[in-house]
Amino acid sequence: MRNVARTVPSIAALFLVIMAILINSPALFYMATAMFATILACRGQAWLSVRALRFERVSPPSVNVGETVTVGVVVWSERKLKRPLVTVVDGLPRTLVCADLTPSLPVAPSFDQPIHTRYSFRPLRRGKFRWESLEVYGTDALGLVTMSKSYRTEPAELTVYPAPITVSVPITPASGWGTSEADSGKFRGSGIEPRGVREYVAGDPMRYVHWTSSARSGKLMVKEFESGSGLSFLFLLQRTRGTEIGSGGSTTLEAMCGHCAYLAEQYLRQGATVLFPIQESLDRISNSQSLRKQEIYEVLAEIQADHPNTLSQDISQVALNLPEGGTMVLMLAVQDPDLPGVLARMSGVKKVCLLYDPGDYRSVRVNSRAPSATDPAYLGSLRDAGADVFVMPKVEAMA
Amino acid sequence: MKVFANAPSWFDHLLMAVCAILAVYAASMGIARPAIGLFFVAGIAGATFISFGLGRLLSGTKAFRWDGYVYVAAALICAFRAVALNKLLPDDGYPFQLLMAGVLSWMLMVGSLVAWRDTTQVFQIVPCIALFGLVGAWNTFEDAKYLFFIFIVCAATLFARSHLRSMLRVAEMSEGSTQTVATRFLRSDEEDTDPDAEDIARFRSLRNGPWRWMAGPEWALASALVVVGFSWVGAPVIQSSVQNVAGRLRVDVPMPRPSSSVSATRFGGSENSLRIGTGPRGQMEGRPVIRAKLDRQRYLRGATLYTYGDGNWSNDFIAREYFNPAGEEPATLARQQEIASLSNQEPVGFELEILFGRHEEMYVPGYPVRVPRSSFQNPFPISPDGMVLNYASSAPPYTVDGVVLVPNEASKPQDAALPEFFTSDLRAAVTDASRATPRVREFAQDAIKGAGNDFEKAMAIKTAIEGQVKYNLNAEATPAGRDPVDAFLFESREGYCDLFASAMAICARSVGIPARTATGFFPNTNTRDPEGYYVIEDVDYHMWCEIYFEGVGWIVFDPTEGAQAVPGGERGAAKGGGKSWLDAEWLKSGLDVALIVTTLLVVVLAVRAMFTRKGPASVVERSLAGRTYARFSRDLERRTGKPRRLNETPREYLDRIAAELGPHAGPASELTGRFESALYSSVSPTPEVLKGLGESVREFRRLPKVIA
């Protein structure tokens, strides 16, 4: 109804002008002139409201998927005139899938001091994003006419890291230093040195529940272990073009990255080495745990399913450089026919396959016919190749 | 008058109501039926009042958002039941051809009832504009432009305030808060701050911060005033500049036939009936109505009246054609015969430029021979009795020219005699002397003593009337049950043109001279423009007597010519109202003044609102809590017989009477605590809290009385 009410005066002004001329009615001339002048004044005011402005954007450098990002925009008026309120619509890249995008705070640009406006959104997908345009929308004081103008600003960059997604499958690492001692049964526990207990979180295996502490504290407590320093995990994600199934923030690759972030964080905390042999050089990783975590998130933010190589080709490329005794975690959603063969030929590393069912992520719009890696026959072939295989449950899209 | 509430304030309701009232009033005045306007003005005012209350009542409920749907449903009902609704209106409602105006008016009235939210309120402007457009196309209500200007100012203010509220909502959303002021208000039992104050604080911080340099509602108001000023000056210039291409389309809107008793101040329209002696006429404005090119000052006849009785003149012969030659096309042949019988006539050309008003008969200075319709293509039809019919009742301006027959200088009327082709009915009507009272007969007989032929008798009667009575437009109405002519000639002895004309006609008939009366315009020689055209104004509207002389035709006898005028009662100096109070000029002027005063008030309030800031307002809630506590304390008084002293706080009062309350002291203490919180805490009570207090008081009153 508001839109109708906003449109009618313009149409009425035009109609009254035509009718006034046709009928030659003095009253209609007065009305038509008033209406037309009103609309012209409104258009003029709206036109002026978006002219002669300068903008500066202030955005955080990085954020996790699902976290609220507030982008500040500073507005200056280059002319000393009072304007109706304007709103800013930032030119966010199309690939930046986001939710809860709020309108910018309406502001009246001032000549003598910068005016701050802001808007916020929640990114639903990882990535590194860069943009530099924004659209400013201005109306007249009556709100009848809306006009817009595009401005270029200094480029803004935002890196969206994946949000860690809990992995509930028990991944047994390969026996490295210390682990073999555990396997021998010389020490208590499962072979990895206990570091302490912590409160249970979803996904923790029940066998790690520390009943004594649980009884004492009244909360479910689980044991936390320090892995041996020789333990290393190598993550390889399927990045072949066309293998990312799903849309928006709910895709197989997003789920892989979320799981990867969780596992990597867990292993880092346990003192293990986490490597992404495809994306980074193995000799240039940081020793500091916090820096390493940052590096991992940066790597995960950049992974895109746009590469011509298949996962088996990626493995073949890096196979020679893989550290001995490590655990190679492979994440894939679409069948790679050569993969079982490549895995069968590999030795010296433990192979773990986390499989994602494309059927969980297919939407009506994205109807991929790619063969699922969770197909029982394919799954069996992976097991035959010596890999521990886990089918990952569907990761629900972030609201 | 804060603009930072989520729902429109009373001021917005007022603005909306003024807009709607201006539109319906303009429409009703466009068809000269103020009663309809009055009906809708009252209706819209009441509906707005109810709407405001309903809006407050339903605020925060789902029903609050249904106003748009209800509005659309109501509008559809108005459209589909237009005829039935139109019948409910006074003065027979809008003419069928103008039914759209009725639909829009009903839509505005019903819409005012359900306009709770901004969207619906601003949508009300749509039918308002449509209604003003119709009024402008009719071009019958000159003051419509003033009303439209006021409307523009009010609508601009309404739009601006609504827009500012929408911006506030955007600001709220931008702040990441999806809860609106209304929802916060409802949830305020969980809040520890006054939402209203919070809202005010937010608005203030915006006005002092990012909105400091804003062109807000005050700019909208200023712009609207500039627009009005520009239109005032510019519209005539624009109109004159497009004269060469303007006027290609003519909208022929039939003017509704006025009520049978027609005020002499009204010009235009058909007068088949006219009541005389109805008291002072309305104030006439001296507005130019016709610009006439005549060879000399002549009576411009518009309507003729034949039958007189009970103070009422009428013309029953137009429809059934009083000329009755057997076997021929009656009207045409009769006119030909009539014209052929007029040997002492000469043709005279004339030209009229109709400037204002709608006229169902055209004014002609004699017997119409040919009246082409200059601005159009088709000639006007001419009625059997020589009236020029303008059934299309076109909107001015347009021009008319033609040729009429008028008695020549050489003609010497002798005796009055009716032609053979006049029907018996017509003869009976124009010679009917039965309506003359004995005193009138005697007066006429005295007047014609010494006169020879009928012409001399008529002149003698005219002279006698001129000497007997005075012209006074302020003359009182004829007392009920009295014959206006008799009372005019022998009691009040003053009156205006219709009484003079009637007296002349009745006196003439009483002595056997056939006579009729006619209405039209008599131009004033002093109002001629530089080109020599007579500028005929509304004050020139007139009534006179006509007597038929054989071979000459109808000759004008106007006794007002020689009559003295009462000082202050001359033509154009009339004051007061017409017969019907709804037709009264004072009512029209009063409504105009009321609208202007209201609008000025609105503007003043708007300006005041711009420069004042209202503090946290929780007065209403607190007073509601106070009223509820008053009920509670009355109940305590009934139970204990001890009224609360003025200097006692609720707690002190309770402490004093606790012993008498017995087991009810506990609930009473708990309730008093809640009242203390509602009345004196920094947070104003929410509707839920008030409701809860009311229910608790009702429960407490149901508790049995403790018997000591």
Side-chain angles (χ1 to χ4, degrees), chain B residues 132-459:
Chain B
F132 270 115
L134 286 176
V135 176
W138 301 342
N139 194 25
T140 51
F141 181 43
E142 205 177 5
D143 293 345
K145 60 175 181 284
Y146 305 119
L147 300 186
F148 187 75
F149 289 155
I150 299 169
F151 163 78
I152 281 280
V153 173
C154 291
T157 312
L158 182 67
F159 263 98
R161 289 172 61 86
S162 166
H163 178 58
L164 187 58
R165 265 193 298 279
S166 71
M167 287 288 108
L168 275 164
R169 284 193 284 273
V170 172
E172 275 190 353
M173 282 192 282
S174 171
E175 287 169 359
S177 166
T178 52
Q179 58 181 7
T180 60
V181 174
T183 53
R184 275 205 314 277
F185 195 79
L186 288 173
R187 289 178 60 247
S188 57
D189 53 339
E190 302 167 15
E191 303 273 342
D192 54 357
T193 53
D194 182 353
D196 214 11
E198 196 180 292
D199 215 30
I200 293 164
R202 176 185 289 109
F203 184 69
R204 279 187 179 160
S205 69
L206 286 170
R207 283 308 295 250
N208 296 329
W211 292 10
R212 192 172 63 90
W213 207 248
M214 175 181 67
E218 66 275 18
W219 274 69
L221 183 61
S223 305
L225 292 172
V226 170
V227 162
V228 166
F230 170 77
S231 308
W232 190 287
V233 178
V237 178
I238 295 169
Q239 187 179 10
S240 62
S241 66
V242 296
Q243 275 306 300
N244 291 336
V245 293
R248 298 295 171 91
L249 182 70
R250 194 155 293 278
V251 178
D252 289 334
V253 181
M255 193 69 179
R257 189 170 293 279
S259 57
S260 58
S261 180
V262 182
S263 164
T265 57
R266 194 192 64 80
F267 46 90
S270 174
E271 293 194 8
N272 288 339
S273 177
L274 178 68
R275 177 163 290 280
I276 61 170
T278 54
R281 305 300 184 176
Q283 178 69 52
M284 289 176 279
E285 300 168 12
R287 173 191 289 150
V289 179
I290 300 170
R291 191 165 166 264
K293 185 179 183 181
L294 303 169
D295 60 331
R296 64 183 178 84
Q297 189 184 25
R298 291 185 185 279
Y299 287 85
L300 294 172
R301 185 197 304 125
T304 52
L305 301 160
Y306 294 91
T307 308
Y308 177 76
D310 299 326
N312 195 62
W313 283 96
S314 63
N315 183 348
D316 303 325
F317 301 102
I318 293 176
R320 52 194 173 94
E321 297 180 354
Y322 57 87
F323 305 102
N324 190 26
E328 296 289 344
E329 186 186 353
T332 310
L333 184 60
R335 286 203 66 256
Q336 286 172 352
Q337 287 176 332
E338 186 179 11
I339 291 167
S341 71
L342 304 175
S343 54
N344 294 313
Q345 301 271 336
E346 61 179 9
V348 169
F350 71 98
E351 185 182 322
L352 303 177
E353 185 182 353
I354 309 300
L355 304 173
F356 185 78
R358 293 182 179 277
H359 310 269
E360 288 192 9
E361 287 91 24
M362 193 41 60
Y363 303 95
V364 288
Y367 279 90
V369 177
R370 177 178 56 81
V371 186
R373 201 173 183 182
S374 299
S375 296
F376 311 91
Q377 295 303 319
N378 302 321
F380 286 99
I382 299 172
S383 80
D385 65 342
M387 290 197 300
V388 179
L389 305 176
N390 183 19
Y391 281 138
S393 191
S394 308
Y398 58 95
T399 55
V400 173
D401 62 16
V403 176
V404 292
L405 290 175
V406 296
N408 59 29
E409 296 295 329
S411 63
K412 298 201 181 297
Q414 298 290 321
D415 286 323
L418 295 172
E420 291 299 320
F421 49 81
F422 272 37
T423 63
S424 57
D425 284 351
L426 178 64
R427 286 170 181 277
V430 295
T431 57
D432 179 18
S434 65
R435 301 295 177 175
T437 63
R439 279 201 295 187
V440 172
R441 287 173 192 275
E442 192 179 339
F443 173 80
Q445 290 294 342
D446 289 346
I448 62 169
K449 279 178 184 170
N453 57 30
D454 286 347
F455 183 78
E456 290 173 358
K457 288 177 184 174
M459 288 301 292

Side-chain angles (χ1 to χ4, degrees), chain B residues 52-65:
Chain B
F52 180 69
L54 275 176
R56 287 289 176 274
L57 197 69
L58 300 174
S59 178
T61 65
K62 277 187 179 177
F64 188 66
R65 303 183 69 82

Side-chain angles (χ1 to χ4, degrees), chain B residues 638-654:
Chain B
R638 270 198 301 274
R639 288 173 184 278
T640 61
K642 293 180 180 174
R644 180 181 161 223
R645 293 172 193 146
L646 289 173
N647 62 347
E648 276 181 330
T649 64
R651 180 60 58 187
E652 287 168 345
Y653 176 47
L654 185 71

